Amino acid sequence: MRLVAPDSTTTVPLDTTGILNCTASYNGHPMHLWIDTGVSYALFMQEEKARKYGLKLFAHDSTLVNGILSPKAEAVIDTLRIGTFCLTDIPVIVLCHDITHGMPDSIRGKDVRHIVDSIYSMSDAVLGLPALCKLGQVTFDLSGHKLTLRAPRHPFTPSEEPNLYLNQNMLYTRCTLNGAEAVGLLDTGNTGNYLTFSHLFYETNKDRIPLDTLTAKRKIGSWIYGHTLADMPYEIPLQPDIRFDGLPVRIPPKADIIITPTATRAGAVAA
């Protein structure tokens, strides 16, 4: 995979309706991309979308997707253009099954299918972290609805505010909850909770984190490619003070900030 960047920067519209989407061009045809920093593949899509774009599939076998062995194929996209930037020879993982594969029959009903289908109908493919890293410096302007790409600098100079870092092909960041520092996965594809902190993090810092015992809890479930949790147990921090780089984070109305025993990291941050 290689980047061809004739300009130092390029800017394209960014759709922030629920998930982060931008429009690229493949062989002159628009391709709507879901930008997901939680995905460790450069690009992946469902089989029907791959066939829609005429991709040649090969290497049919299985792969683990969130712990579930799932049938997949591979493909290669020769060129994908975002603004004036062009990625070449992009490896593609193609999921060869119903997107609700692995979901228990008890919750695999029409309503769930409708929700999952509506999310994936917004995009043709998912642009994962390896492709994002190839694009150089990526800036999401959520209020201005713009995605700006800056060509990689040579020689590379570290950012003045290094609050994002890679570890084992995953993107992490730091924030604080009531002054307690948390390190967490930054996942722009998380359509569930706004912020999820692990119970271990709470137990370590519970003297700083009073719990809200009065607010009625709604049922929260989690499903990500076969990993399902229905009616997930959790706690709610009381008047949480969330800060990023020392600056307070404005918490949207109805945003879920929860503490759950199912979180595997100190904090899972969804943009």
Side-chain angles (χ1 to χ4, degrees):
M1 185 166 53
R2 191 168 66 92
L3 172 66
V4 178
D7 303 316
S8 59
T9 65
T10 188
T11 300
V12 297
L14 180 68
D15 183 358
T16 60
T17 307
I19 58 178
L20 298 181
N21 263 303
C22 73
T23 300
S25 175
Y26 170 62
N27 286 346
H29 300 286
M31 179 180 284
H32 302 292
L33 300 178
W34 175 358
I35 303 170
D36 190 346
T37 59
V39 169
S40 56
Y41 301 125
L43 198 74
F44 81 86
M45 60 177 62
Q46 296 181 69
E47 184 176 12
E48 69 172 283
K49 296 293 180 71
R51 297 195 182 282
K52 165 188 167 183
Y53 285 99
L55 300 186
K56 294 182 179 179
L57 307 186
F58 60 90
H60 290 264
D61 56 11
S62 299
T63 186
L64 283 175
V65 181
N66 283 354
I68 301 296
L69 195 62
S70 305
K72 62 92 174 171
E74 297 178 22
V76 175
I77 284 182
D78 50 1
T79 58
L80 185 69
R81 189 174 299 277
I82 303 176
T84 60
F85 284 21
C86 185
L87 285 174
T88 64
D89 301 323
I90 309 166
V92 184
I93 296 297
V94 180
L95 301 181
C96 302
H97 58 70
D98 180 350
I99 204 66
T100 57
H101 170 77
M103 182 179 289
D105 291 338
S106 58
I107 60 173
R108 194 183 182 195
K110 292 182 179 179
D111 291 342
V112 173
R113 283 180 178 273
H114 173 72
I115 293 171
V116 173
D117 288 343
S118 66
I119 291 174
Y120 281 88
S121 67
M122 299 178 189
S123 59
D124 297 309
V126 179
L127 188 73
L129 189 60
L132 281 172
C133 290
K134 278 290 184 183
L135 289 170
Q137 183 180 347
V138 181
T139 302
F140 298 105
D141 181 353
L142 301 185
S143 58
H145 303 284
K146 294 184 295 184
L147 171 67
T148 299
L149 307 176
R150 292 177 175 83
R153 293 169 288 184
H154 299 285
F156 175 77
T157 56
S159 169
E160 294 178 359
E161 299 178 352
N163 198 20
L164 296 177
Y165 58 95
L166 289 170
N167 183 30
Q168 296 183 348
N169 212 25
M170 302 298 285
L171 184 63
Y172 290 85
T173 187
R174 290 183 292 268
C175 68
T176 61
L177 169 59
N178 297 351
E181 183 170 310
V183 176
L185 175 69
L186 179 61
D187 185 358
T188 60
N190 186 346
T191 58
N193 306 315
Y194 188 74
L195 267 167
T196 303
F197 293 92
S198 72
H199 193 264
L200 177 60
F201 171 79
Y202 167 72
E203 285 295 325
T204 304
N205 301 280
K206 61 183 178 182
D207 56 326
R208 303 188 191 187
I209 310 173
L211 298 179
D212 184 346
T213 58
L214 299 179
T215 299
K217 297 178 183 178
R218 67 181 183 87
K219 288 187 176 182
I220 290 181
S222 172
W223 178 80
I224 309 174
Y225 293 128
H227 178 65
T228 306
L229 292 167
D231 198 9
M232 195 166 60
Y234 66 96
E235 300 292 343
I236 304 172
L238 180 66
Q239 298 178 340
D241 176 23
I242 308 293
R243 292 179 181 263
F244 185 82
D245 278 347
L247 299 176
V249 175
R250 184 181 63 84
I251 302 170
K254 299 182 179 180
D256 291 314
I257 297 177
I258 65 173
I259 298 166
T260 169
T262 60
T264 58
R265 299 174 176 87
V269 185

